[in-house]
Amino acid sequence: MRPREFLCLALGYGSALVRACGGHSHEVREWTQEELDELEMKWGHEWGFSGISTFAHLEYHKCLTTPSELFDIAIIGAPFDTAVSYRPGARFGPRAIRAASARQTSFRGYNPRANINPYANWAKILDCGDIPVVPMDNGMALKQMTAAFTELGARPPVSPLLARPKLITLGGDHSLSLPALRAMRAIYGPVRVLHFDAHLDTWHPAKYPSYWSSDQSRFTHGSMFWLAGAEGLLSNASAAPNVHAGLRTRLSGTDDWDDDDAQNWLRISADDVDDVGTKGIVDAIMGALGTEDPVYLSVDIDVLDPAFAPGTGTPEPGGWTTRELIRVLRGIEGLNIVGADVVEVAPAYQGVGEETALAAAQVVFELLSSMVKKGLEEMGKTGKAGLEVQGDVAKDEL
């Protein structure tokens, strides 16, 4: 028998064997909704320590590659840290914050101070994954982040309560606020900024002494608000200032304050909390920003004392406690927050208990609660959201 005839015979025998023994495997079963619901009840539950590591076990979509995926609030990571002036490592921040959010779930997400569960309310909240930011070229990274924020922010929301969806960015170093504000400008015009940080971050790029300067070197995690002001991204009305809170850094000199004043910023120092308490900080912020103007809220985790957040790139002793920051965030829930970021979490420098990432995850939870509650108020609703109930069984967690 010739080789070709033998091969054809062998292939024909194999096909007949598959048809005889396995043909029935091609049948597709039709599942009833009742059966699917039962499977969900049996296997759909996730403990805090189980499942894929999305923020708060939220539904995950790679939103930048699925343009038809809509949301009201998106969690988006920006793993970028090559614009830092001291310790790198914040590129691992989004991953660390997501892991630290593991005990936040929709069935145990009720926030008593806000009287809502942000994960089981009107807003569709997604984890949209990360922007694949190039680590070798800061100029290109800036373009990437600007394009990503602009595209995501321009999508129509799911809920009629919003004109545009809101983004909460997990950093990443603080320079990402510049591309985020560029995207905000395209939607809202110049916005006002509430900036929690140990540092001003309004430094003129020339304040970094170096013979070797370039256009790219101007873009840093300490100059991005100066650049934003120069580009007209921030409010410049004297009656509508932007606000720093938690400041305590060393300066080049008092002319740093002059530059900051010229850019329309109000400064609240870390020490002020000792004199006026968290209520005084809240009153100062709300008195400056009000409840109507669109506000971009940026939290550098180094606003906290290194005792509470050592995992950061430029730690400064003398900062606020985690409890003080959370109390202030809860007090400013009336702000019209249109976007936010939580930045400078560098997990390589934190302890084994993840205290820095845990603080950052709690900050995100507080911001989500405020955004969702603000939406309810705009809808004319108060009252209780309570726990999400599936069937007759309310989920709970140990």
Side-chain angles (χ1 to χ4, degrees):
M1 181 181 294
R2 284 179 287 186
R4 178 169 178 168
E5 293 174 344
F6 176 78
L7 179 60
C8 291
L9 180 62
L11 291 174
Y13 175 76
S15 299
L17 186 63
V18 169
R19 287 194 300 273
C21 299
H24 65 279
S25 64
H26 294 291
E27 296 177 4
V28 179
R29 177 177 174 179
E30 294 291 335
W31 295 86
T32 68
Q33 188 59 48
E34 183 179 359
E35 290 173 319
L36 293 174
D37 291 342
E38 182 179 0
L39 289 173
E40 178 63 28
M41 292 181 67
K42 289 171 66 175
W43 308 115
H45 168 80
E46 287 186 359
W47 295 100
F49 51 80
S50 64
I52 302 300
S53 187
T54 66
F55 188 87
H57 299 263
L58 289 168
E59 181 182 345
Y60 166 77
H61 291 275
K62 199 170 183 179
C63 295
L64 288 168
T65 61
T66 52
S68 61
E69 195 63 50
L70 303 182
F71 48 82
D72 295 311
I73 305 173
I75 307 295
I76 182 75
F80 172 75
D81 66 1
T82 52
V84 299
S85 57
Y86 193 49
R87 302 193 303 201
R91 68 181 64 181
F92 298 103
R95 181 179 296 178
I97 298 169
R98 286 186 174 103
S101 73
R103 291 194 68 248
Q104 297 184 35
T105 60
S106 63
F107 58 87
R108 195 69 179 272
Y110 179 73
N111 189 331
R113 69 90 180 168
N115 200 28
I116 60 166
N117 179 345
Y119 302 124
N121 216 285
W122 62 267
K124 182 177 181 181
I125 308 174
L126 296 182
D127 188 327
C128 281
D130 290 347
I131 304 169
V133 189
V134 61
M136 287 79 71
D137 185 329
N138 284 8
M140 184 58 66
L142 178 56
K143 291 179 181 179
Q144 280 184 292
M145 290 188 285
T146 301
F149 291 137
T150 301
E151 196 281 324
L152 293 174
R155 291 187 187 182
V158 175
S159 171
L161 290 176
L162 301 177
R164 284 288 183 265
K166 302 175 188 285
L167 307 181
I168 298 180
T169 306
L170 310 180
D173 76 47
H174 213 157
S175 64
L176 67 84
S177 293
L178 177 61
L181 287 167
R182 286 178 173 177
M184 291 290 102
R185 168 70 183 272
I187 300 169
Y188 301 100
V191 298
R192 302 177 68 182
V193 173
L194 173 56
H195 172 221
F196 290 94
D197 203 320
H199 311 93
L200 289 170
D201 292 351
T202 55
W203 278 293
H204 192 293
K207 289 292 179 72
Y208 292 92
S210 177
Y211 177 83
W212 308 99
S213 62
S214 68
D215 287 340
Q216 183 169 298
S217 69
R218 293 164 58 85
F219 171 57
T220 75
H221 72 159
S223 65
M224 73 286 175
F225 286 133
W226 186 91
L227 294 170
E231 292 182 18
L233 309 181
L234 310 182
S235 165
N236 62 4
S238 58
N242 306 292
V243 179
H244 301 293
L247 297 173
R248 59 189 185 280
T249 188
R250 292 167 294 278
L251 304 174
S252 305
T254 57
D255 58 335
D256 288 346
W257 287 334
D258 295 335
D259 290 342
D260 197 62
D261 290 338
Q263 296 172 64
N264 200 34
W265 288 85
L266 171 70
R267 293 183 294 277
I268 300 171
S269 75
D271 290 346
D272 289 338
V273 77
D274 298 323
D275 299 325
V276 301
T278 55
K279 184 179 184 304
I281 302 297
V282 168
D283 290 345
I285 292 171
M286 296 304 298
L289 296 175
T291 59
E292 301 300 325
D293 290 350
V295 173
Y296 185 83
L297 194 153
S298 182
V299 179
D300 186 326
I301 207 64
D302 71 23
V303 71
L304 300 178
D305 190 89
F308 302 95
T312 191
T314 49
E316 301 283 358
W320 288 347
T321 67
T322 308
R323 181 176 60 81
E324 286 169 338
L325 175 60
I326 290 171
R327 180 64 188 86
V328 171
L329 291 173
R330 290 173 174 177
I332 60 173
E333 64 180 15
L335 292 176
N336 180 20
I337 300 172
V338 295
D341 61 50
V342 182
V343 298
E344 298 286 354
V345 173
Y349 313 115
Q350 71 178 356
V352 295
E354 304 176 285
E355 66 290 306
T356 310
L358 282 168
Q362 183 67 26
V363 167
V364 176
F365 175 66
E366 298 296 342
L367 296 179
L368 285 170
S369 296
S370 294
M371 288 178 175
V372 174
K373 185 174 182 179
K374 183 77 170 178
L376 284 176
E377 291 173 351
E378 291 175 356
M379 190 167 48
K381 291 184 178 179
T382 53
K384 303 174 181 178
L387 290 171
E388 182 183 39
V389 177
Q390 295 190 358
D392 296 321
V393 181
K395 290 188 175 181
D396 202 354
E397 178 193 21
L398 297 178

